[in-house]
Amino acid sequence: FILTIIDAGTRVGRFMLQDLLQNVPALTNRVKGRPGTLVTSAIVVSLWGYFLYQGVIDPLGGINSLWPLFGISNQLLSAIALCVATTVLIKMHGYRYALVTAAPLLWIVIVTFSAGLTKIFSSDPHLGFLSHAASLAALLQGGQITADRVVETQAIILNERLDAGLTALFLLLVTIIIFESVRTWANLLRGTRSAVTAEAPFVLSSITAETV
């Protein structure tokens, strides 16, 4: 399951990074084709690889630093997919079937954003990344951490702040995607934007019960 998510996340991350870099005039031609794909893939893999390494060396165990962020990023990836699906449905059928994907999108956004903001800003050290890091930093500055645990405590503080920063970045990026999606939907429904799709037309299956 985790390997599947990492594979899908790497592909999506590579595609988004490559698409973003194509908007930079000096890099438009350089990021196209196989070389650009390899370079952007390496960047994405190195980013999550560094975070995986930080989780592995976490004194409390990698699951404490990796799992909360994995859950948030996984659901935010679903939100992006639902944004794309909703856009396709509106382009093809108008508002008729939009709620099929828009309703789950709204639920995922509410739940995941609530969880993400709680993990960042909760004052409970058992919940909030920043509050846990602040409590450990206070203990460290107050000399309440033994010398043999100073390095471990500093690693935990770094990982908690890293989690908070990445969670905030994920929420910000998905917020931008949702905002742009909603604006696109509004323009499509108002008719101020043409509903051009690249989807393959529906073809009725030729498989019959007898064939099966």
Side-chain angles (χ1 to χ4, degrees), residues 17-39:
L17 179 60
Q18 194 171 13
D19 189 61
L20 177 64
L21 293 178
Q22 287 182 10
N23 294 316
V24 180
L27 300 176
T28 300
N29 295 325
R30 295 184 180 181
V31 297
K32 291 182 179 180
R34 179 170 295 181
T37 300
L38 293 176
V39 171

Side-chain angles (χ1 to χ4, degrees), residues 92-139:
M92 296 178 67
H93 306 288
Y95 63 87
R96 188 183 309 171
Y97 302 112
L99 284 179
V100 173
T101 51
L105 171 62
L106 178 61
W107 173 252
I108 286 179
V109 168
I110 292 174
V111 173
T112 309
F113 271 65
S114 298
L117 293 174
T118 299
K119 291 299 294 181
I120 296 174
F121 298 111
S122 175
S123 58
D124 186 350
H126 298 289
L127 290 177
F129 293 133
L130 294 179
S131 59
H132 187 210
S135 65
L136 292 178
L139 293 175

Side-chain angles (χ1 to χ4, degrees), residues 23-202:
N23 294 316
V24 180
L27 300 176
T28 300
N29 295 325
R30 295 184 180 181
V31 297
K32 291 182 179 180
R34 179 170 295 181
T37 300
L38 293 176
V39 171
T40 50
S41 297
I43 293 174
V44 173
V45 171
S46 64
L47 289 174
W48 66 252
Y50 168 76
F51 185 75
L52 180 62
Y53 171 75
Q54 286 298 122
V56 170
I57 65 174
D58 191 315
L60 297 179
I63 194 67
N64 288 280
S65 61
L66 292 176
W67 190 253
L69 197 63
F70 173 78
I72 292 171
S73 60
N74 186 30
Q75 296 307 308
L76 290 178
L77 186 62
S78 300
I80 295 174
L82 289 171
C83 282
V84 175
T86 304
T87 303
V88 172
L89 287 176
I90 292 177
K91 283 185 175 182
M92 296 178 67
H93 306 288
Y95 63 87
R96 188 183 309 171
Y97 302 112
L99 284 179
V100 173
T101 51
L105 171 62
L106 178 61
W107 173 252
I108 286 179
V109 168
I110 292 174
V111 173
T112 309
F113 271 65
S114 298
L117 293 174
T118 299
K119 291 299 294 181
I120 296 174
F121 298 111
S122 175
S123 58
D124 186 350
H126 298 289
L127 290 177
F129 293 133
L130 294 179
S131 59
H132 187 210
S135 65
L136 292 178
L139 293 175
L140 195 61
Q141 292 177 359
Q144 297 175 269
I145 302 296
T146 58
D148 61 320
R149 297 191 57 192
V150 169
V151 175
E152 292 184 356
T153 304
Q154 291 174 337
I156 297 173
I157 292 173
L158 173 62
N159 284 344
E160 293 287 28
R161 290 173 177 170
L162 182 63
D163 279 354
L166 287 175
T167 300
L169 177 63
F170 292 163
L171 294 177
L172 174 62
L173 293 177
V174 174
T175 298
I176 295 173
I177 292 173
I178 292 173
F179 175 79
E180 289 298 322
S181 297
V182 172
R183 188 172 68 169
T184 299
W185 304 339
N187 291 334
L188 288 171
L189 294 175
R190 286 198 302 260
T192 57
R193 179 168 180 169
S194 58
V196 179
T197 65
E199 303 300 316
F202 172 76

